[in-house]
């Protein structure tokens, strides 16, 4: 992404909210704030402007390490643009105050009037397929499907009536989230756990505590398509089916709901997730009666206001729908065109203050470790790691070291090093690259067992309980052994990319012999 960018800003770890807030101040000071939009559609403008007083460009340059000239260049680019959308991924949120950064980015969009028009808005990029859909349909600690709060009695009463249960059966209290459940298991307050499709033992921060928590549970069930590292801790493993073996929907970050279709029968004794849960509920005395996921969608659409009007029939033939929906089937491709989702329909500029990260470098742990995904692999490699051609592109775990740090420590491609945090250490080979700079390292999250989370800690964002994966201070020791460069010669980083403007798929559509895929086919995988 950085290679393709017009401007690449490389801030110090955990300082993104500073440059975002400084850019907002710049908009007000240089006439780029959309005053018409702000006056008509936004609250707390003056209070927010006062909160920006500390965020000068000089202060932002000092804290973030980004040159002031670069910050001004980015501010001018955004201020002069006719439309701006901001996309961010977990490099923004996985810090001890990551939610503040998301708020700062949204503030910047409001200041410049970049909501409610085509080509505008904020898009948090999800780490897994259908995380958006899981959130939309109730897999959150505090929401029914359609983001209806469990703490409001009117919502509880509505769902209880629709489900045919006494309202007292539905709690008015928020549940536990991923972080607090695992912590509770380690502390003994959570006795049993049911994990569906989550490689928690590998992907959760501070893996030693995660593993000890799982070992402390009285009973644990894991439902997954592979015998994962997490499943190894389970008393019972329920084999699930991947998407090609079931019907259902996915929802992406733009709220687009799309159908997917079963093309292969489930292998062995595996079953689709919805069917496992339906059968389990029946054995526990609750016969839901579902025979197809479309019935579950119909039920949700009949209760949750946001999903009214949605159905599998309206998604047939590769059609897609955006929530919120209307009963007549009309959809909402663009949000906030007339009002925001607040009582008075106005957005709120939210004042923020700069807070130091919970973990930082010191004299002993003098380097910050960044981490994340590689192009070649996906999360814990339970899926992509089974393909030998993909695995051959990046078969070895490694740490990226900047040229300046490599020169200082005598590190070359293939040098073995020990990376040690305040919680653990791992030994890997180094690769020297300008993808990182100064005293920042990068390690992929995919390889190695127990993996990178032997190094990460339980410090987290107090507002949303997201662990600060990207906020890990380490020390680097050079080991007295040398190996081959960890990335093979056929890895894409060892070549020069061929630039292109994207896949010209419309050329195929315009051909005289092009035939659109049918809505249903005996073997749709052949199209």
């Amino acid at each position: 992404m950085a290679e393709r960018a017009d401007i690449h800003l490389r801030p110090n770890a955990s300082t993104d909210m500073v440059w975002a807030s400084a850019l907002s101040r710049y908009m007000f000071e240089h006439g780029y704030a959309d005053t018409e939009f702000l006056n008509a559609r936004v609250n707390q403008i003056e209070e927010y402007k006062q909160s920006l007083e500390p965020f000068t460009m000089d202060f932002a340059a000092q804290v973030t390490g980004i040159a002031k000239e670069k910050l001004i260049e980015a501010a001018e680019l955004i201020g002069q643009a006719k439309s701006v959308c901001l996309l961010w991924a977990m490099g923004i949120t996985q810090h001890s105050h990551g939610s503040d950064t998301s708020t700062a980015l949204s503030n910047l969009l409001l200041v410049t009037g970049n909501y409610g028009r085509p080509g505008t808005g904020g898009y948090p990029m999800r780490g897994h397929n259908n995380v958006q859909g899981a959130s939309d349909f109730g897999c959150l600690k505090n929401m029914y499907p359609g983001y209806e709060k469990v703490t409001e009695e009117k919502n509880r009463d509505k769902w209880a009536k629709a489900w045919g249960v006494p309202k007292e059966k539905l709690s008015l209290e928020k549940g536990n989230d991923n972080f607090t459940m695992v912590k509770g298991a380690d502390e003994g307050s959570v006795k049993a756990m049911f994990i569906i499709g989550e490689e928690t033992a590998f992907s959760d921060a501070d893996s030693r505590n995660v593993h000890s928590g799982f070992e402390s549970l009285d009973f644990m069930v894991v439902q997954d398509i592979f015998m994962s590292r997490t499943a190894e801790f389970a008393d019972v493993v329920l084999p699930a089916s991947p998407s090609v073996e079931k019907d259902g929907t996915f929802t992406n970050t733009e709220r687009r709901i799309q159908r997917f279709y079963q093309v292969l029968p489930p292998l062995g004794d595996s079953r689709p997730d919805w069917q496992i849960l339906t059968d389990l509920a029946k054995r526990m005395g609750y016969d839901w009666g579902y025979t197809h996921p479309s019935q579950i969608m119909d039920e949700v659409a009949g209760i949750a206001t946001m999903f009214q009007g949605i159905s599998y029939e309206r998604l047939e033939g590769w059609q897609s729908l955006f929530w919120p929906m209307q009963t007549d089937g009309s959809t909402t491709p663009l949000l906030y065109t007339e009002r925001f989702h607040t009582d008075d329909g106005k957005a709120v500029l939210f004042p923020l203050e700069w807070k130091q990260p919970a973990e930082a470098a010191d004299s002993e742990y003098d380097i910050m470790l960044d981490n994340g995904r590689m192009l070649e692999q996906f999360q814990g490699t339970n899926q992509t790691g089974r393909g030998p051609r993909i695995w051959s592109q990046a078969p070895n775990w490694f740490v990226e070291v900047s040229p300046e740090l490599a020169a200082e420590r005598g590190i070359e491609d293939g040098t073995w090093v020990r990376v040690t945090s305040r919680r653990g250490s791992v030994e890997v080979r180094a690769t020297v690259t300008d993808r990182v700079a100064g005293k920042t390292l990068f390690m992929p999250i995919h390889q190695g067992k127990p993996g990178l989370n032997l190094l990460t800690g339980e410090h987290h964002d107090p507002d949303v309980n997201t662990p600060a994966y990207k906020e890990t201070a380490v020390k680097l020791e050079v080991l007295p052994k040398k190996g081959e460069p960890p990335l093979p010669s056929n890895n894409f980083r060892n070549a020069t990319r061929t630039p292109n403007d994207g896949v010209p798929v419309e050329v195929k559509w315009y051909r005289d012999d092009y035939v659109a895929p049918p809505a249903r086919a005996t073997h749709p995988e052949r199209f």
Side-chain angles (χ1 to χ4, degrees):
M1 295 292 288
E3 290 174 1
R4 291 170 167 81
D6 293 310
I7 302 174
H8 173 211
L9 306 180
R10 182 151 33 189
N12 295 328
S14 305
T15 63
D16 293 284
M17 73 81 60
V18 176
W19 65 255
S21 297
L23 262 59
S24 286
R25 172 172 171 158
Y26 188 94
M27 300 304 158
F28 282 115
E29 293 178 340
H30 292 80
Y32 293 129
D34 190 334
T35 54
E36 182 179 349
F37 175 86
L38 290 169
N39 292 334
R41 304 196 56 194
V42 181
N43 289 325
Q44 288 194 174
I45 302 168
E46 289 305 316
E47 183 180 349
Y48 175 68
K49 286 174 70 174
Q50 292 175 17
S51 75
L52 294 176
E53 184 177 351
F55 297 101
T56 63
M57 284 294 184
D58 289 327
F59 175 74
Q62 174 193 343
V63 173
T64 67
I66 302 171
K68 180 179 177 180
E69 295 74 21
K70 277 282 187 183
L71 290 169
I72 293 173
E73 184 182 0
E76 288 289 333
L77 185 69
I78 292 173
Q80 295 181 36
K82 293 181 179 179
S83 63
V84 175
C85 62
L86 297 179
L87 293 80
W88 62 90
M90 291 182 290
I92 288 289
T93 54
Q94 290 176 347
H95 298 267
S96 53
H97 302 292
S99 58
D100 284 351
T101 302
S102 296
T103 301
L105 294 172
S106 186
N107 284 339
L108 178 58
L109 288 168
L110 287 173
V111 169
T112 53
N114 279 295
Y115 272 116
R117 296 183 289 110
T120 66
Y123 299 87
M125 307 303 290
R126 303 304 198 170
H128 292 267
N129 184 37
N130 208 38
V131 170
Q132 183 70 50
S135 301
D136 296 347
F137 285 87
C139 293
L140 292 172
K141 65 178 181 179
N142 59 338
M143 298 287 181
Y144 290 111
Y147 299 102
E148 299 184 358
K149 295 179 180 179
V150 301
T151 53
E152 295 184 3
E153 287 198 39
K154 63 177 183 179
N155 294 333
R156 181 186 69 169
D157 295 350
K158 181 177 76 166
W159 285 89
K161 181 179 180 181
W163 283 338
V165 299
K167 64 181 181 180
E168 292 76 17
K169 291 282 188 180
L170 303 182
S171 176
L172 285 169
E173 297 181 7
K174 296 178 183 178
N176 287 322
D177 55 30
N178 187 86
F179 178 81
T180 55
M181 279 189 282
V182 173
K183 191 174 179 63
D186 194 38
E187 295 172 347
S189 60
V190 174
K191 302 296 185 182
M193 195 173 288
F194 193 141
I195 299 177
I196 302 177
E198 175 90 7
E199 180 62 299
T200 316
F202 185 76
S203 61
D204 273 32
D206 203 347
S207 55
R208 277 205 177 99
N209 285 350
V210 176
H211 296 177
S212 66
F214 287 168
E215 290 166 353
S216 301
L217 290 169
D218 294 340
F219 187 63
M220 181 176 178
V221 181
V222 170
Q223 182 171 312
D224 212 325
I225 62 176
F226 292 115
M227 188 67 186
S228 64
R229 182 73 179 93
T230 308
E232 293 173 6
F233 289 90
D235 298 287
V236 175
V237 178
L238 301 175
S241 303
S243 57
V244 294
E245 297 173 10
K246 58 188 175 185
D247 288 301
T249 63
F250 291 138
T251 309
N252 69 9
T253 196
E254 60 173 343
R255 301 168 290 106
R256 184 191 296 271
I257 304 172
Q258 302 165 89
R259 273 208 66 177
F260 61 87
Y261 299 83
Q262 179 179 334
V263 296
L264 298 168
L267 286 174
D269 294 328
S270 66
R271 307 181 198 177
D273 294 299
W274 68 269
Q275 189 176 334
I276 293 174
L277 295 173
T278 300
D279 292 347
L280 184 61
K282 186 175 182 179
R283 293 190 179 213
M284 296 174 73
Y286 293 87
D287 188 357
W288 295 341
Y290 304 130
T291 59
H292 191 270
S294 61
Q295 297 165 329
I296 304 171
M297 179 69 83
D298 290 342
E299 178 182 294
V300 173
I303 309 172
T305 303
M306 194 175 82
F307 294 123
Q308 59 185 345
I310 192 169
S311 68
Y312 273 40
E313 287 73 25
R314 284 174 171 157
L315 293 169
E316 281 283 359
W318 282 269
Q319 297 299 309
S320 58
L321 299 167
F322 298 90
W323 61 254
M325 294 281 297
Q326 303 299 321
T327 53
D328 62 1
S330 59
T331 186
T332 313
L334 190 62
L335 285 177
Y336 314 133
T337 55
E338 296 178 5
R339 59 181 285 122
F340 290 92
H341 193 59
T342 57
D343 290 340
D344 65 359
K346 289 187 175 184
V348 179
L349 278 168
F350 195 85
L352 298 166
E353 62 180 54
W354 161 237
K355 300 169 187 173
Q356 294 288 341
E359 180 162 308
D362 59 18
S363 58
E364 182 179 3
Y365 300 95
D366 59 328
I367 299 171
M368 294 304 294
L369 174 66
D370 196 4
N371 57 82
R373 290 180 173 83
M374 299 175 66
L375 179 66
E376 297 87 350
Q377 296 291 353
F378 185 74
Q379 198 61 17
T381 69
N382 286 332
Q383 296 176 67
T384 53
R386 297 168 189 271
R389 291 183 64 187
I390 296 176
W391 192 257
S392 69
Q393 294 290 310
N396 306 302
W397 203 16
F398 60 88
V399 59
E400 294 184 355
V401 181
S402 69
E404 51 267 40
L405 186 59
E408 176 189 314
R409 306 285 177 95
I411 297 171
E412 300 175 348
D413 277 355
T415 298
W416 279 89
V417 296
R418 181 181 294 118
V419 181
T420 304
S421 74
R422 295 179 173 99
R423 290 153 293 273
S425 66
V426 297
E427 295 182 5
V428 292
R429 278 179 277 176
T431 184
V432 181
T433 173
D434 61 3
R435 285 171 169 260
V436 290
K439 300 184 80 171
T440 296
L441 305 176
F442 178 89
M443 292 182 69
I445 62 175
H446 313 292
Q447 299 99 329
K449 302 285 183 177
L452 182 113
N453 284 311
L454 189 66
L455 306 178
T456 56
E458 288 194 336
H459 53 295
H460 58 280
D461 187 320
D463 295 323
V464 294
N465 286 340
T466 299
Y469 292 96
K470 307 293 193 282
E471 203 171 279
T472 304
V474 298
K475 57 185 175 183
L476 183 68
E477 302 170 71
V478 179
L479 301 177
K481 55 180 178 178
K482 182 80 163 60
E484 293 295 318
L487 289 169
S489 58
N490 64 337
N491 187 274
F492 75 89
R493 300 189 195 192
N494 295 319
T496 301
R497 299 192 193 200
T498 302
N500 63 65
D501 295 324
V503 180
V505 67
E506 64 278 0
V507 174
K508 178 177 73 173
W509 297 339
Y510 295 148
R511 286 175 48 164
D512 293 337
D513 59 348
Y514 174 70
V515 178
R520 292 194 176 276
T522 307
H523 293 284
E525 73 275 16
R526 295 177 182 173
F527 284 88

